[in-house]
Amino acid sequence: MSETKTHKVTLIPGDGIGPEVTQAVLRILEATGVKFEWERFSAGAEAFETQGEYIPAALYESIERNKVALKGPVTTPIGGGFKSINVTLRKRFDLYANFRPIRNLPGLETHWPGVDIIVVRENTEGEYVGLEHEVIPGVVESLKVITDKGSTRIARFAFEYARKHGRKKIHSIHKANIMKMSDGLFLRCARKVSEEFPEVQYGEHIIDNTCMQLVMNPFQYDMLLLENLYGDIVSDLCAGLVGGLGLVPGANLGADCAIFEAVHGSAPDIAGKDVANPTALLQSGILMLRHLDEMTAADRAEVALEKVYAERKTLTRDVGGTAGTTQFAEAVLAAMG
Ligand code: NAI
Protein backbone atom coordinates (compact mmCIF):
# COMPACT_ATOMS: atom_id res chain seq x y z
CA MET A 1 0.00 0.00 0.00
CA SER A 2 1.23 3.44 -0.88
CA GLU A 3 0.86 6.05 1.85
CA THR A 4 1.00 9.05 -0.43
CA LYS A 5 0.07 7.94 -3.90
CA THR A 6 -3.07 9.40 -5.45
CA HIS A 7 -4.82 7.01 -7.80
CA LYS A 8 -6.36 8.59 -10.86
CA VAL A 9 -9.45 6.58 -11.70
CA THR A 10 -12.00 7.11 -14.46
CA LEU A 11 -15.48 7.17 -12.97
CA ILE A 12 -18.68 6.42 -14.89
CA PRO A 13 -21.59 6.67 -12.44
CA GLY A 14 -23.98 5.41 -15.15
CA ASP A 15 -27.75 5.86 -15.05
CA GLY A 16 -30.76 4.33 -13.30
CA ILE A 17 -29.52 3.31 -9.84
CA GLY A 18 -25.93 3.96 -10.98
CA PRO A 19 -25.47 7.46 -9.52
CA GLU A 20 -26.99 6.43 -6.14
CA VAL A 21 -24.87 3.34 -5.64
CA THR A 22 -21.78 5.13 -6.96
CA GLN A 23 -22.24 7.98 -4.50
CA ALA A 24 -22.50 5.48 -1.62
CA VAL A 25 -19.44 3.54 -2.76
CA LEU A 26 -17.24 6.61 -3.28
CA ARG A 27 -17.83 7.67 0.33
CA ILE A 28 -16.69 4.25 1.56
CA LEU A 29 -13.69 3.97 -0.79
CA GLU A 30 -12.50 7.43 0.23
CA ALA A 31 -12.92 6.59 3.92
CA THR A 32 -10.40 3.74 3.55
CA GLY A 33 -7.68 6.41 3.49
CA VAL A 34 -6.66 5.78 -0.10
CA LYS A 35 -6.38 8.97 -2.12
CA PHE A 36 -8.31 9.08 -5.37
CA GLU A 37 -8.63 11.61 -8.13
CA TRP A 38 -11.82 10.71 -9.97
CA GLU A 39 -12.24 11.68 -13.61
CA ARG A 40 -16.02 11.61 -13.94
CA PHE A 41 -17.87 10.98 -17.20
CA SER A 42 -21.37 10.22 -18.33
CA ALA A 43 -22.03 7.60 -20.99
CA GLY A 44 -25.03 6.32 -22.93
CA ALA A 45 -28.24 8.30 -23.43
CA GLU A 46 -27.23 11.03 -20.97
CA ALA A 47 -23.90 11.64 -22.70
CA PHE A 48 -25.62 11.74 -26.08
CA GLU A 49 -28.11 14.36 -24.88
CA THR A 50 -25.46 16.60 -23.37
CA GLN A 51 -22.43 16.00 -25.60
CA GLY A 52 -23.77 14.42 -28.78
CA GLU A 53 -21.75 11.21 -28.26
CA TYR A 54 -22.73 7.99 -26.49
CA ILE A 55 -19.16 7.56 -25.34
CA PRO A 56 -17.34 10.92 -25.31
CA ALA A 57 -13.84 10.87 -26.80
CA ALA A 58 -12.55 12.29 -23.51
CA LEU A 59 -13.86 9.19 -21.70
CA TYR A 60 -11.87 6.87 -23.95
CA GLU A 61 -8.78 9.04 -23.43
CA SER A 62 -9.26 9.02 -19.66
CA ILE A 63 -9.40 5.20 -19.50
CA GLU A 64 -6.42 4.95 -21.84
CA ARG A 65 -4.44 7.24 -19.52
CA ASN A 66 -5.56 5.93 -16.15
CA LYS A 67 -5.83 2.23 -17.09
CA VAL A 68 -8.49 1.76 -14.44
CA ALA A 69 -12.16 2.70 -14.20
CA LEU A 70 -15.05 2.23 -11.80
CA LYS A 71 -18.35 2.03 -13.58
CA GLY A 72 -22.01 2.07 -12.62
CA PRO A 73 -24.62 0.41 -14.84
CA VAL A 74 -25.68 2.01 -18.12
CA THR A 75 -29.09 1.34 -19.68
CA THR A 76 -29.07 -0.31 -23.11
CA PRO A 77 -32.16 0.06 -25.28
CA ILE A 78 -33.92 -3.22 -26.08
CA GLY A 79 -34.51 -4.43 -29.64
CA GLY A 80 -32.95 -1.36 -31.29
CA GLY A 81 -31.25 1.93 -30.45
CA PHE A 82 -27.60 2.46 -29.65
CA LYS A 83 -25.11 -0.32 -29.07
CA SER A 84 -24.41 -1.34 -25.47
CA ILE A 85 -21.90 1.00 -23.84
CA ASN A 86 -20.63 -1.89 -21.73
CA VAL A 87 -19.95 -4.13 -24.71
CA THR A 88 -18.35 -1.22 -26.60
CA LEU A 89 -15.96 -0.39 -23.76
CA ARG A 90 -15.03 -4.05 -23.26
CA LYS A 91 -14.24 -4.38 -26.97
CA ARG A 92 -12.43 -1.05 -27.24
CA PHE A 93 -10.02 -1.85 -24.40
CA ASP A 94 -9.90 -5.58 -25.16
CA LEU A 95 -11.10 -6.42 -21.64
CA TYR A 96 -11.34 -10.09 -22.48
CA ALA A 97 -11.77 -11.52 -19.00
CA ASN A 98 -14.91 -10.90 -16.98
CA PHE A 99 -14.17 -12.03 -13.44
CA ARG A 100 -17.10 -12.50 -11.08
CA PRO A 101 -16.59 -13.97 -7.62
CA ILE A 102 -19.82 -15.33 -6.14
CA ARG A 103 -19.89 -15.95 -2.41
CA ASN A 104 -22.23 -15.72 0.52
CA LEU A 105 -22.00 -12.80 2.88
CA PRO A 106 -22.20 -13.53 6.61
CA GLY A 107 -25.64 -13.26 8.19
CA LEU A 108 -27.57 -13.56 4.94
CA GLU A 109 -29.94 -16.48 4.85
CA THR A 110 -29.91 -18.09 1.44
CA HIS A 111 -30.93 -21.50 0.18
CA TRP A 112 -27.29 -22.64 0.18
CA PRO A 113 -24.90 -21.20 2.77
CA GLY A 114 -21.20 -21.26 1.93
CA VAL A 115 -21.32 -20.87 -1.84
CA ASP A 116 -17.93 -19.84 -3.24
CA ILE A 117 -17.77 -19.94 -7.03
CA ILE A 118 -15.72 -17.87 -9.45
CA VAL A 119 -17.30 -17.20 -12.81
CA VAL A 120 -14.83 -16.44 -15.60
CA ARG A 121 -16.66 -15.17 -18.66
CA GLU A 122 -15.09 -14.53 -22.06
CA ASN A 123 -15.92 -10.88 -22.65
CA THR A 124 -15.27 -9.98 -26.29
CA GLU A 125 -16.54 -12.76 -28.57
CA GLY A 126 -19.51 -15.08 -29.03
CA GLU A 127 -22.90 -13.55 -29.84
CA TYR A 128 -21.69 -10.18 -28.48
CA VAL A 129 -19.68 -9.36 -31.61
CA GLY A 130 -22.90 -7.69 -32.78
CA LEU A 131 -22.92 -9.16 -36.29
CA GLU A 132 -26.60 -9.39 -37.11
CA HIS A 133 -28.40 -8.79 -40.39
CA GLU A 134 -31.71 -9.41 -42.08
CA VAL A 135 -31.15 -11.91 -44.89
CA ILE A 136 -34.64 -11.47 -46.32
CA PRO A 137 -37.68 -9.95 -44.58
CA GLY A 138 -38.60 -12.26 -41.72
CA VAL A 139 -35.19 -13.98 -41.56
CA VAL A 140 -32.38 -12.62 -39.39
CA GLU A 141 -28.91 -14.07 -39.03
CA SER A 142 -26.84 -13.46 -35.91
CA LEU A 143 -23.23 -14.59 -35.93
CA LYS A 144 -21.47 -16.14 -32.97
CA VAL A 145 -17.72 -15.79 -33.28
CA ILE A 146 -15.43 -18.08 -31.31
CA THR A 147 -11.70 -17.96 -31.99
CA ASP A 148 -8.76 -20.08 -30.98
CA LYS A 149 -6.98 -16.96 -29.68
CA GLY A 150 -9.95 -15.71 -27.65
CA SER A 151 -10.75 -19.12 -26.18
CA THR A 152 -7.14 -19.91 -25.33
CA ARG A 153 -6.48 -16.62 -23.57
CA ILE A 154 -9.61 -16.80 -21.40
CA ALA A 155 -8.83 -20.41 -20.48
CA ARG A 156 -5.30 -19.37 -19.61
CA PHE A 157 -6.64 -16.49 -17.48
CA ALA A 158 -8.84 -18.94 -15.53
CA PHE A 159 -6.11 -21.53 -14.99
CA GLU A 160 -3.50 -18.96 -14.02
CA TYR A 161 -5.94 -17.49 -11.50
CA ALA A 162 -6.62 -20.97 -10.10
CA ARG A 163 -2.90 -21.68 -9.76
CA LYS A 164 -2.16 -18.33 -8.10
CA HIS A 165 -5.08 -18.49 -5.68
CA GLY A 166 -5.13 -22.22 -4.91
CA ARG A 167 -8.48 -22.94 -6.56
CA LYS A 168 -8.93 -26.65 -7.17
CA LYS A 169 -11.29 -27.18 -10.08
CA ILE A 170 -12.38 -25.57 -13.35
CA HIS A 171 -15.43 -26.62 -15.34
CA SER A 172 -15.84 -25.46 -18.94
CA ILE A 173 -19.53 -24.85 -19.57
CA HIS A 174 -20.68 -25.40 -23.15
CA LYS A 175 -23.26 -26.57 -25.64
CA ALA A 176 -20.85 -28.41 -27.91
CA ASN A 177 -23.37 -31.19 -28.46
CA ILE A 178 -25.29 -28.72 -30.65
CA MET A 179 -22.77 -25.95 -31.48
CA LYS A 180 -20.22 -28.57 -32.42
CA MET A 181 -17.78 -26.26 -34.18
CA SER A 182 -17.87 -23.07 -32.09
CA ASP A 183 -18.30 -24.55 -28.62
CA GLY A 184 -16.19 -27.48 -29.78
CA LEU A 185 -13.31 -25.07 -30.45
CA PHE A 186 -13.81 -23.37 -27.08
CA LEU A 187 -13.55 -26.78 -25.38
CA ARG A 188 -10.51 -27.91 -27.35
CA CYS A 189 -8.66 -24.72 -26.36
CA ALA A 190 -9.61 -25.13 -22.69
CA ARG A 191 -8.50 -28.79 -22.68
CA LYS A 192 -5.17 -27.88 -24.23
CA VAL A 193 -4.51 -25.15 -21.67
CA SER A 194 -5.61 -27.45 -18.83
CA GLU A 195 -2.73 -29.82 -19.66
CA GLU A 196 -0.29 -27.14 -18.50
CA PHE A 197 -1.98 -27.03 -15.08
CA PRO A 198 -2.07 -30.61 -13.78
CA GLU A 199 -2.74 -29.43 -10.22
CA VAL A 200 -6.11 -27.97 -11.27
CA GLN A 201 -8.86 -30.51 -11.88
CA TYR A 202 -10.62 -29.97 -15.19
CA GLY A 203 -14.21 -30.90 -16.10
CA GLU A 204 -16.84 -30.07 -18.69
CA HIS A 205 -20.60 -29.72 -18.27
CA ILE A 206 -23.32 -28.86 -20.76
CA ILE A 207 -24.89 -25.46 -20.03
CA ASP A 208 -28.49 -26.57 -19.46
CA ASN A 209 -27.48 -29.32 -17.05
CA THR A 210 -25.14 -26.84 -15.32
CA CYS A 211 -28.07 -24.52 -14.54
CA MET A 212 -29.90 -27.38 -12.84
CA GLN A 213 -26.75 -28.57 -11.03
CA LEU A 214 -26.06 -25.05 -9.74
CA VAL A 215 -29.52 -24.82 -8.21
CA MET A 216 -29.43 -28.35 -6.75
CA ASN A 217 -25.81 -28.56 -5.58
CA PRO A 218 -23.60 -25.51 -6.19
CA PHE A 219 -20.79 -26.97 -4.06
CA GLN A 220 -19.63 -29.26 -6.85
CA TYR A 221 -18.29 -26.17 -8.63
CA ASP A 222 -15.20 -24.13 -7.83
CA MET A 223 -14.55 -22.09 -10.99
CA LEU A 224 -16.69 -21.88 -14.12
CA LEU A 225 -15.19 -21.02 -17.51
CA LEU A 226 -17.76 -19.80 -20.02
CA GLU A 227 -18.25 -18.14 -23.37
CA ASN A 228 -19.71 -14.64 -23.33
CA LEU A 229 -23.49 -15.27 -23.43
CA TYR A 230 -23.42 -18.36 -21.19
CA GLY A 231 -21.30 -16.39 -18.71
CA ASP A 232 -23.76 -13.52 -18.72
CA ILE A 233 -26.73 -15.77 -17.94
CA VAL A 234 -25.02 -18.07 -15.47
CA SER A 235 -23.63 -15.07 -13.52
CA ASP A 236 -27.17 -13.91 -12.75
CA LEU A 237 -28.18 -17.44 -11.76
CA CYS A 238 -25.19 -17.58 -9.42
CA ALA A 239 -26.10 -14.15 -8.02
CA GLY A 240 -29.47 -15.63 -7.13
CA LEU A 241 -27.73 -18.36 -5.12
CA VAL A 242 -26.10 -15.86 -2.76
CA GLY A 243 -28.89 -13.33 -2.30
CA GLY A 244 -29.38 -11.52 -5.60
CA LEU A 245 -27.96 -8.99 -8.02
CA GLY A 246 -27.49 -6.37 -5.33
CA LEU A 247 -24.44 -8.28 -4.09
CA VAL A 248 -22.27 -9.63 -6.87
CA PRO A 249 -19.23 -7.70 -8.15
CA GLY A 250 -17.30 -7.92 -11.35
CA ALA A 251 -14.07 -6.89 -13.05
CA ASN A 252 -13.49 -6.52 -16.78
CA LEU A 253 -9.80 -7.22 -17.22
CA GLY A 254 -7.46 -6.89 -20.18
CA ALA A 255 -3.72 -6.79 -20.67
CA ASP A 256 -3.56 -3.00 -20.10
CA CYS A 257 -6.80 -1.72 -18.57
CA ALA A 258 -9.45 -2.78 -16.09
CA ILE A 259 -13.04 -1.62 -15.58
CA PHE A 260 -14.72 -2.59 -12.34
CA GLU A 261 -18.51 -2.82 -12.30
CA ALA A 262 -21.32 -4.77 -10.63
CA VAL A 263 -23.01 -7.65 -12.42
CA HIS A 264 -26.40 -5.92 -12.18
CA GLY A 265 -27.93 -3.41 -14.58
CA SER A 266 -29.47 0.02 -14.10
CA ALA A 267 -32.57 -1.38 -12.31
CA PRO A 268 -35.03 1.23 -13.62
CA ASP A 269 -37.77 -0.28 -11.40
CA ILE A 270 -36.09 1.05 -8.25
CA ALA A 271 -34.03 3.98 -9.58
CA GLY A 272 -34.09 7.32 -7.77
CA LYS A 273 -35.69 5.93 -4.59
CA ASP A 274 -32.59 5.47 -2.42
CA VAL A 275 -33.38 1.76 -2.00
CA ALA A 276 -30.77 0.09 -4.24
CA ASN A 277 -28.17 -2.09 -2.61
CA PRO A 278 -24.68 -0.62 -3.19
CA THR A 279 -22.94 -3.85 -2.06
CA ALA A 280 -22.29 -5.15 -5.59
CA LEU A 281 -20.55 -1.95 -6.64
CA LEU A 282 -18.77 -1.72 -3.29
CA GLN A 283 -17.43 -5.25 -3.74
CA SER A 284 -16.35 -4.23 -7.26
CA GLY A 285 -14.58 -1.23 -5.68
CA ILE A 286 -12.86 -3.59 -3.25
CA LEU A 287 -11.66 -5.68 -6.21
CA MET A 288 -10.37 -2.42 -7.68
CA LEU A 289 -8.48 -1.58 -4.46
CA ARG A 290 -6.77 -4.98 -4.66
CA HIS A 291 -5.96 -4.37 -8.33
CA LEU A 292 -4.35 -1.06 -7.26
CA ASP A 293 -2.38 -2.98 -4.63
CA GLU A 294 -4.20 -1.18 -1.82
CA MET A 295 -4.64 -4.40 0.17
CA THR A 296 -5.01 -2.87 3.64
CA ALA A 297 -7.73 -0.52 2.42
CA ALA A 298 -9.48 -3.38 0.61
CA ASP A 299 -9.42 -5.51 3.78
CA ARG A 300 -10.73 -2.58 5.82
CA ALA A 301 -13.72 -2.02 3.56
CA GLU A 302 -14.41 -5.76 3.31
CA VAL A 303 -14.31 -6.34 7.06
CA ALA A 304 -16.70 -3.40 7.60
CA LEU A 305 -19.07 -4.66 4.92
CA GLU A 306 -19.12 -8.15 6.41
CA LYS A 307 -19.70 -6.70 9.89
CA VAL A 308 -22.78 -4.82 8.69
CA TYR A 309 -24.14 -8.02 7.12
CA ALA A 310 -23.32 -10.15 10.16
CA GLU A 311 -25.16 -7.70 12.44
CA ARG A 312 -28.23 -7.78 10.15
CA LYS A 313 -29.42 -4.42 11.51
CA THR A 314 -28.94 -2.15 8.50
CA LEU A 315 -29.61 -4.14 5.35
CA THR A 316 -31.33 -2.99 2.18
CA ARG A 317 -34.74 -4.27 1.06
CA ASP A 318 -33.49 -6.70 -1.58
CA VAL A 319 -31.86 -8.78 1.17
CA GLY A 320 -34.70 -8.54 3.67
CA GLY A 321 -33.89 -5.27 5.44
CA THR A 322 -35.51 -1.84 5.47
CA ALA A 323 -32.49 0.46 5.13
CA GLY A 324 -31.99 2.78 2.19
CA THR A 325 -28.85 3.08 0.06
CA THR A 326 -27.50 6.04 2.05
CA GLN A 327 -28.29 4.50 5.43
CA PHE A 328 -26.54 1.28 4.43
CA ALA A 329 -23.45 3.22 3.31
CA GLU A 330 -23.44 5.06 6.63
CA ALA A 331 -23.54 1.75 8.50
CA VAL A 332 -20.49 0.54 6.57
CA LEU A 333 -18.71 3.84 7.27
CA ALA A 334 -19.51 3.51 10.97
CA ALA A 335 -18.23 -0.09 10.96
CA MET A 336 -14.93 1.15 9.52
CA GLY A 337 -14.48 3.26 12.63
P1 NAI B 1 -31.08 -5.26 -13.61
O1 NAI B 1 -29.86 -5.98 -13.13
O2 NAI B 1 -30.99 -3.81 -13.78
O3 NAI B 1 -32.31 -5.59 -12.62
C1 NAI B 1 -32.81 -6.90 -12.42
C2 NAI B 1 -33.55 -6.95 -11.08
O4 NAI B 1 -32.60 -6.89 -10.01
C3 NAI B 1 -34.50 -5.77 -10.86
O5 NAI B 1 -35.63 -6.21 -10.17
C4 NAI B 1 -33.70 -4.82 -10.01
O6 NAI B 1 -34.49 -3.99 -9.18
C5 NAI B 1 -32.84 -5.77 -9.18
N1 NAI B 1 -31.56 -5.15 -8.82
C6 NAI B 1 -30.51 -4.97 -9.65
N2 NAI B 1 -29.52 -4.34 -9.01
C7 NAI B 1 -29.94 -4.12 -7.75
C8 NAI B 1 -29.37 -3.50 -6.61
N3 NAI B 1 -28.13 -2.98 -6.64
N4 NAI B 1 -30.10 -3.43 -5.47
C9 NAI B 1 -31.33 -3.97 -5.41
N5 NAI B 1 -31.93 -4.57 -6.46
C10 NAI B 1 -31.24 -4.64 -7.62
O7 NAI B 1 -31.49 -5.96 -14.99
P2 NAI B 1 -32.52 -5.51 -16.10
O8 NAI B 1 -33.74 -4.92 -15.49
O9 NAI B 1 -32.63 -6.71 -16.94
O10 NAI B 1 -31.76 -4.40 -16.95
C11 NAI B 1 -31.97 -3.00 -16.81
C12 NAI B 1 -31.02 -2.26 -17.74
O11 NAI B 1 -29.67 -2.43 -17.31
C13 NAI B 1 -31.05 -2.72 -19.20
O12 NAI B 1 -31.03 -1.58 -20.01
C14 NAI B 1 -29.77 -3.51 -19.37
O13 NAI B 1 -29.30 -3.49 -20.69
C15 NAI B 1 -28.85 -2.77 -18.43
N6 NAI B 1 -27.72 -3.56 -17.95
C16 NAI B 1 -26.53 -2.91 -17.80
C17 NAI B 1 -25.45 -3.58 -17.28
C18 NAI B 1 -24.18 -2.81 -17.13
O14 NAI B 1 -24.17 -1.60 -17.25
N7 NAI B 1 -23.09 -3.48 -16.81
C19 NAI B 1 -25.51 -5.00 -16.92
C20 NAI B 1 -26.82 -5.56 -17.05
C21 NAI B 1 -27.88 -4.86 -17.56
Side-chain angles (χ1 to χ4, degrees):
M1 132 120 182
S2 59
E3 294 296 333
T4 51
K5 185 169 180 191
T6 298
H7 297 283
K8 277 195 181 180
V9 176
T10 306
L11 180 69
I12 310 164
D15 51 47
I17 60 170
E20 304 161 57
V21 292
T22 302
Q23 169 67 15
V25 168
L26 291 195
R27 288 177 69 191
I28 297 164
L29 292 180
E30 283 171 0
T32 62
V34 172
K35 291 193 183 67
F36 291 103
E37 191 180 318
W38 305 105
E39 293 183 0
R40 189 182 286 253
F41 293 91
S42 55
E46 190 193 329
F48 189 74
E49 272 163 35
T50 54
Q51 295 154 72
E53 285 175 303
Y54 290 106
I55 304 181
L59 168 52
Y60 283 129
E61 285 156 22
S62 172
I63 298 177
E64 241 155 50
R65 238 185 358 259
N66 298 332
K67 315 275 184 228
V68 58
L70 182 66
K71 177 183 164 298
V74 178
T75 303
T76 308
I78 291 173
F82 63 87
K83 195 177 166 187
S84 160
I85 301 304
N86 314 307
V87 172
T88 307
L89 287 174
R90 291 166 188 171
K91 279 289 278 185
R92 171 69 181 72
F93 293 102
D94 201 18
L95 306 175
Y96 67 91
N98 196 325
F99 173 82
R100 295 172 159 181
I102 318 272
R103 65 180 183 103
N104 283 99
L105 282 160
L108 265 198
E109 271 175 42
T110 56
H111 194 64
W112 297 111
V115 171
D116 179 9
I117 296 172
I118 290 178
V119 171
V120 175
R121 164 187 174 190
E122 201 293 319
N123 223 11
T124 55
E125 300 194 337
E127 290 82 349
Y128 285 68
V129 292
L131 297 173
E132 291 188 321
H133 64 275
E134 191 173 50
V135 185
I136 50 167
V139 180
V140 169
E141 263 184 5
S142 174
L143 299 182
K144 159 168 166 165
V145 176
I146 300 294
T147 67
D148 189 319
K149 180 183 165 215
S151 305
T152 300
R153 70 176 176 173
I154 193 66
R156 192 170 297 286
F157 173 91
F159 277 95
E160 278 173 358
Y161 182 90
R163 173 171 282 170
K164 190 165 174 206
H165 297 272
R167 305 292 297 212
K168 302 276 179 285
K169 239 188 315 187
I170 294 180
H171 279 89
S172 280
I173 308 304
H174 66 92
K175 191 76 185 176
N177 48 334
I178 307 298
M179 257 88 52
K180 292 177 195 294
M181 290 186 73
S182 53
D183 287 19
L185 174 60
F186 187 82
L187 284 185
R188 279 201 305 283
C189 295
R191 282 176 204 156
K192 199 165 165 210
V193 172
S194 76
E195 287 164 13
E196 297 168 34
F197 298 82
E199 76 276 27
V200 182
Q201 229 179 296
Y202 176 68
E204 294 170 356
H205 279 174
I206 294 176
I207 177 81
D208 35 349
N209 173 38
T210 305
C211 292
M212 185 275 290
Q213 297 289 345
L214 277 165
V215 173
M216 300 288 287
N217 174 20
F219 303 108
Q220 64 190 294
Y221 296 114
D222 185 13
M223 290 180 67
L224 302 178
L225 170 62
L226 310 100
E227 289 170 19
N228 209 337
L229 181 61
Y230 304 151
D232 187 13
I233 297 167
V234 168
S235 297
D236 277 33
L237 191 159
C238 288
L241 293 175
V242 298
L245 281 166
L247 306 173
V248 176
N252 301 288
L253 306 167
D256 298 323
C257 298
I259 300 182
F260 295 83
E261 65 178 341
V263 169
H264 66 70
S266 56
D269 53 334
I270 56 166
K273 297 179 181 160
D274 192 43
V275 296
N277 190 345
T279 302
L281 188 65
L282 176 56
Q283 298 216 78
S284 309
I286 292 170
L287 289 176
M288 184 184 79
L289 286 173
R290 298 202 189 285
H291 176 82
L292 296 171
D293 205 25
E294 295 287 0
M295 300 302 180
T296 312
D299 290 346
R300 222 177 136 208
E302 194 163 73
V303 167
L305 176 71
E306 291 185 351
K307 193 168 166 217
V308 171
Y309 273 92
E311 284 173 358
R312 297 196 50 79
K313 284 198 299 223
T314 320
L315 299 182
T316 47
R317 286 192 209 172
D318 56 311
V319 288
T322 54
T325 312
T326 312
Q327 212 186 338
F328 175 84
E330 273 158 13
V332 177
L333 287 168
M336 280 169 73

